[in-house]
Amino acid sequence: MKMQLVLEAPAKINLTLNVIGKRTDGYHELESVMQQINLRDKIFLHTGGNDIKIASNSAQIPDNEGNLAFQAAKLLYSKFSLNPGLQIFIEKNIPVGAGLAGGSTDAAAVIIGINELFDLHLQREELMQLGSIIGSDVPFCILGGAALARGRGEILSPLPEGPRLEMVLVKPDFQLSTGEVYRDFRMERVEERPDNTAFLEAWRQCDMIGLAAEMKNVLETVSIGKCPEIQLIKDKLDTLGALKTLMSGSGPSVVGVFTHRDEARKAWGIIKDQYRESYLVSSYNRGD
Ligand code: C5P
């Protein structure tokens, strides 16, 4: 058994997000291309003591059972009767309530970390299965890289490495609840849906124009209704030369995809003076 471990927990964006239908369990059936980005939390795990404790440098996330990382640790501790206890420290760099799977990626890192600390020898699929109990995005965060997600987000087909995406990510000073956005989603109001088959073809060919044409998120109009600032950010990023702008997940984060890193850097240099939570990011692949 190891005593301590430090893990990176990358954020996720949705390059496409389509809702296929509403399920009887209250969730929505999705088809979405998910991609990790190099905006990362850092997770410190120390074994010792009798129970699970969680702390963070951020006052915005719960330091108790409300934290998905705590729930993930608790799940593994009760399933495998683990001891001694665990101290979890989360260095928060990913914006909270942003549509970037910040809570899910911390939980994923804790699951991966406990597997390693306690030599549980669980396979990735088993870890993902456990992760799906904690949240819909957790299995993707365990898998990493880029993937096509189906079901409620937990049925994953990994994608080969695609073109490196150079992006500016902006989070307005506003948080959205995923549950609320899905609750207000109405299938009959959707005007534009991504064609994931066309997106994946463009992905294989590293065709940026083809990719940009299919980067669509059916939740965008719902979230813009709650936070009109999302549209303003999209317009601003367009003006700054983005090839495409898109809200991530249920929002309110917006990404602008640029053809070159230099263009992205230039746009970021301007928009960061207006939005405190602005980041220059790129895609993060398995093994990065
Ligand atoms: O799975 P997770 O707890 O992250 O989901 C948060 C909320 O988002 C769910 O309670 C549900 O209301 C909504 N959701 C959904 N369909 C999905 C994923 C999430 O309706 N595929």
Side-chain angles (χ1 to χ4, degrees):
M1 194 190 88
K2 294 188 189 70
M3 297 292 285
Q4 57 186 52
L5 206 55
V6 183
L7 299 110
E8 289 195 331
K12 162 236 72 165
I13 57 168
N14 300 75
L15 296 174
T16 67
L17 200 164
N18 198 8
V19 174
I20 313 287
K22 183 128 195 251
R23 300 160 36 137
T24 47
D25 61 5
Y27 281 87
H28 291 77
E29 194 71 15
L30 303 185
E31 202 180 70
S32 172
V33 175
M34 299 181 175
Q35 168 76 62
Q36 280 186 320
I37 56 171
N38 62 351
L39 175 60
R40 288 159 282 191
D41 288 346
K42 215 165 172 182
I43 312 295
F44 300 81
L45 301 178
H46 288 265
T47 53
N50 297 321
D51 44 18
I52 304 166
K53 291 208 171 77
I54 189 159
S56 170
N57 63 336
S58 165
Q60 283 184 292
I61 60 170
D63 57 0
N64 52 35
E65 296 78 4
N67 195 306
L68 295 186
F70 184 95
Q71 292 170 23
K74 205 164 162 206
L75 175 70
L76 269 73
Y77 262 71
S78 64
K79 193 165 170 68
F80 300 105
S81 310
L82 303 176
N83 63 73
L86 186 71
Q87 286 164 39
I88 306 168
F89 183 82
I90 300 176
E91 182 191 302
K92 217 0 124 202
N93 303 307
I94 303 171
V96 178
L100 299 169
S104 302
T105 193
D106 297 345
V110 165
I111 291 172
I112 293 168
I114 290 178
N115 187 41
E116 205 175 319
L117 279 176
F118 291 91
D119 299 317
L120 298 178
H121 302 293
L122 299 172
Q123 298 301 304
R124 194 164 287 258
E125 286 67 29
E126 296 172 86
L127 300 179
M128 288 162 64
Q129 171 69 37
L130 288 166
S132 72
I133 299 169
I134 304 299
S136 306
D137 284 339
V138 181
F140 170 74
C141 297
I142 292 173
L143 178 67
L148 176 67
R150 294 202 180 84
R152 61 182 178 94
E154 86 288 18
I155 305 170
L156 295 160
S157 313
L159 297 183
E161 206 170 304
R164 186 181 156 93
L165 301 173
E166 305 294 355
M167 297 168 282
V168 175
L169 186 147
V170 182
K171 150 92 177 29
D173 213 2
F174 194 87
Q175 292 189 13
L176 280 173
S177 139
T178 305
E180 263 181 48
V181 172
Y182 275 107
R183 204 176 54 222
D184 292 351
F185 171 80
R186 296 287 173 276
M187 198 65 91
E188 61 279 10
R189 289 199 201 139
V190 175
E191 286 173 5
E192 270 203 312
R193 294 176 177 282
D195 176 344
N196 280 307
T197 310
F199 181 90
L200 293 177
E201 187 49 37
W203 182 268
R204 271 183 280 274
Q205 301 191 3
C206 289
D207 162 17
M208 287 299 291
I209 307 293
L211 283 182
E214 293 307 330
M215 285 178 65
K216 292 171 194 162
N217 178 346
V218 297
L219 298 178
E220 206 170 82
T221 47
V222 184
S223 301
I224 289 173
K226 296 175 182 295
C227 173
E229 190 90 30
I230 294 169
Q231 186 62 54
L232 297 180
I233 296 171
K234 280 173 68 83
D235 294 345
K236 180 91 187 161
L237 287 166
D238 274 334
T239 313
L240 291 171
L243 181 64
K244 184 76 183 191
T245 65
L246 192 75
M247 184 184 82
S248 179
S250 53
S253 292
V254 176
V255 285
V257 181
F258 290 79
T259 1
H260 298 290
R261 177 96 172 157
D262 284 350
E263 290 171 27
R265 182 174 284 113
K266 224 159 120 187
W268 173 67
I270 296 167
I271 210 161
K272 75 176 170 40
D273 292 336
Q274 211 172 330
Y275 293 97
R276 192 173 47 88
E277 291 179 286
S278 299
Y279 308 85
L280 180 65
V281 298
S282 48
S283 35
Y284 184 86
N285 293 304
R286 279 179 286 276
D288 272 0

